[in-house]
């Protein structure tokens, strides 16, 4: 009889072995064990035999019901972008790609595929059809945009979904995001500390996140005296669209703003460029605060004061919340720490 491999350690009889135990002893990943036990052709014959031998030796009992559920899954997650908020569907904001990178990494660890913004997801039926046809096990929506009502309807269909955006107990779905109201209030408090009185808010308040930022800005203004807030409601989040609207606004206004709060750092850069063309300079003539703290904000000239979100953990947290939903849980929404990063503007 062949000698038993010295690396194989038998579990105590009183301990019920788990898939993690099999993976550790066989020196493979847990997803590899899952593939072997589900009969996946993606595993080499040598690895399959080793894993099965360890499973038999350890007395690992395969949960047939769980295996059936795994086989019925698509092993793919659909990530839905807010193309409607950008001109001709062109999304160029680095913030979105930071979120995507975190999500992609978290999905790859779990051996799940990422399906990027499938078509037809502008209706409840689109979400339902893709899920029921096993095209995607669940959805991660990046940005509520003006779709909050749609997303609430999707949630009522018991479609597994997690949303990056404004966190609200009334939404009916799990969301991960910053404290947008606090972000707006922090911006306003900074303007007050510099004695600024004519504030411009740049953003579309039909978006839940942006509406909350504006309300936070208003709350700060109410603590000051003689504060005026004007709103530049943009038609598209694209850089060129923001630049053009900001330039047209400044040329037409009779009293220029001495403080500007934009919905993103990318929009802040567009405003700076547009205002520079008319000789209205930050920080000389106005204070400016963006949102998101994307890497270019710190290296822009002048460097941009902004509201920071913990983007580095956001992607992994979105995936973790969705996995909890797929496993039958009801994860709570999560509010990430929100702070002001003071720079030159």
């Amino acid at each position: 009889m062949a000698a038993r491999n010295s690396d194989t350690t038998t579990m105590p009889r009183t301990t019920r072995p788990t898939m993690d135990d099999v993976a550790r002893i066989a020196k493979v990943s847990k997803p590899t064990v899952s593939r072997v036990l589900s009969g996946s052709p993606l595993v080499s014959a040598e690895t399959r035999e080793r894993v099965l031998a360890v499973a038999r030796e350890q007395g690992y009992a395969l949960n047939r019901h769980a295996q059936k559920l795994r086989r019925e899954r698509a092993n793919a997650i659909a990530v839905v972008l807010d193309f409607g908020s950008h001109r001709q569907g062109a999304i160029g904001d680095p913030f979105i790609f930071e979120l995507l990178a975190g999500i992609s990494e978290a999905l790859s660890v779990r051996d799940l595929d990422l399906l990027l913004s499938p078509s037809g997801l502008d209706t409840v039926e689109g979400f339902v059809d893709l899920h029921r046809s096993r095209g995607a096990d669940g959805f991660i929506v990046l940005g509520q945009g003006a779709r909050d009502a749609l997303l609430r309807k999707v949630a009522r269909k018991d479609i597994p979904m997690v949303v990056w955006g404004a966190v609200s107990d009334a939404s009916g779905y799990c969301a991960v995001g910053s404290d947008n109201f606090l972000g707006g209030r922090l911006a306003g408090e900074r303007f007050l500390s510099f004695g600024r009185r004519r504030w411009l808010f740049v953003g579309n308040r039909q978006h839940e996140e942006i509406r909350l930022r504006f309300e936070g800005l208003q709350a700060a203004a109410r603590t000051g005296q003689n504060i005026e807030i004007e709103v530049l409601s943009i038609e598209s989040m694209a850089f060129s669209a923001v630049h053009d609207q900001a330039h047209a606004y400044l040329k037409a206004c009779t009293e220029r703003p001495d403080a500007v709060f934009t919905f993103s750092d990318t929009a802040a850069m567009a405003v700076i460029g547009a205002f520079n063309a008319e000789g209205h300079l930050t920080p000389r003539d106005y204070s400016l605060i963006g949102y998101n703290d994307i890497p270019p904000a710190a290296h822009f000239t002048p460097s941009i004061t902004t509201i920071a979100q913990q983007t580095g953990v956001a992607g992994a947290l979105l995936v973790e919340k969705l996995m909890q939903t797929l496993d039958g849980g009801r994860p709570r929404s999560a509010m990430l720490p929100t702070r002001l990063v003071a720079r030159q503007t």
Side-chain angles (χ1 to χ4, degrees):
M1 180 179 294
R4 185 173 294 170
N5 191 317
S6 60
D7 289 334
T8 302
T9 304
T10 304
M11 298 294 298
R13 292 298 180 186
T14 57
T15 303
R16 184 177 180 179
T18 65
M19 189 180 292
D20 287 316
D21 296 323
V22 175
R24 175 177 54 79
I25 296 170
K27 296 183 178 180
V28 296
S29 66
K30 186 175 178 180
T32 297
V33 175
S34 178
R35 289 195 195 98
V36 169
L37 297 179
S38 64
S40 170
L42 300 177
V43 184
S44 69
E46 179 184 355
T47 299
R48 179 179 294 105
E49 288 304 318
R50 184 167 80 255
V51 170
L52 290 175
V54 170
R56 286 192 295 267
E57 189 168 74
Q58 300 301 321
Y60 176 75
L62 177 61
N63 185 327
R64 298 293 175 184
H65 178 65
Q67 185 190 39
K68 181 175 182 291
L69 289 176
R70 281 195 296 271
R71 280 202 301 264
E72 290 177 349
R73 288 185 179 178
N75 290 324
I77 301 301
V79 177
V80 186
L81 304 184
D82 183 19
F83 282 116
S85 298
H86 296 76
R87 179 175 290 173
Q88 298 177 343
I91 295 180
D93 197 320
F95 176 70
I96 296 297
F97 295 104
E98 284 192 67
L99 283 177
L100 272 175
I103 292 168
S104 178
E105 182 178 1
L107 290 177
S108 66
V109 169
R110 292 169 171 80
D111 201 34
L112 296 172
D113 293 329
L114 187 156
L115 180 62
L116 184 59
S117 278
S119 59
L121 294 184
D122 50 1
T123 64
V124 175
E125 291 74 19
F127 282 87
V128 172
D129 290 346
L130 186 62
H131 181 250
R132 289 182 178 172
S133 66
R134 296 178 188 166
D137 296 319
F139 301 86
I140 297 176
V141 180
L142 298 187
Q144 286 147 322
R147 303 174 295 178
D148 183 57
L150 168 66
L151 297 177
R152 292 181 186 223
K153 292 178 182 178
V154 172
R156 289 198 289 270
K157 295 291 185 179
D158 290 327
I159 301 296
M161 177 181 70
V162 177
V163 178
W164 168 265
V167 175
S168 170
D169 293 334
S171 66
Y173 53 77
C174 178
V176 176
S178 69
D179 188 335
N180 292 280
F181 183 89
L182 173 60
R185 198 186 77 205
L186 292 173
E189 289 172 353
R190 182 170 173 85
F191 293 157
L192 289 174
S193 71
F194 288 139
R196 305 300 191 180
R197 295 289 179 264
R198 297 185 305 278
W199 301 357
L200 175 67
F201 179 80
V202 180
N204 185 343
R205 290 174 294 169
Q206 291 183 348
H207 294 210
E208 189 68 9
E209 295 169 273
I210 296 174
R211 179 186 65 80
L212 288 170
R213 294 170 194 176
F214 177 71
E215 290 181 357
L217 188 73
Q218 283 183 311
R222 286 193 290 269
T223 67
Q225 293 182 344
N226 302 320
I227 306 300
E228 298 177 7
I229 303 180
E230 192 172 357
V231 177
L232 178 60
S233 184
I234 62 165
E235 298 172 1
S236 167
M237 288 185 172
F239 180 94
S240 59
V242 177
H243 179 279
D244 293 346
Q245 280 193 249
H247 187 257
Y249 158 81
L250 195 64
K251 285 182 70 70
C253 74
T254 55
E255 200 168 13
R256 292 181 169 185
D258 60 12
V260 180
F261 181 35
T262 64
F263 68 90
S264 74
D265 293 333
T266 302
M269 296 175 190
V271 168
I272 291 173
F275 283 13
N276 281 354
E278 294 299 315
H280 197 48
L281 309 179
T282 182
R284 186 192 72 186
D285 302 319
Y286 66 98
S287 300
L288 178 138
I289 299 175
Y291 211 101
N292 294 331
D293 194 24
I294 60 174
H299 305 287
F300 196 76
T301 303
S303 60
I304 296 173
T305 297
T306 185
I307 306 297
Q309 309 180 83
Q310 285 193 339
T311 319
V313 303
L317 189 55
L318 286 164
V319 172
E320 177 60 29
K321 296 286 186 182
L322 184 59
M323 292 302 103
Q324 292 175 19
T325 303
L326 291 174
D327 289 338
R330 297 184 65 85
R332 293 186 176 185
S333 295
M335 190 91 78
L336 297 178
T338 306
R339 62 188 179 91
L340 185 139
V341 179
R343 298 194 179 105
Q344 291 176 324
T345 63

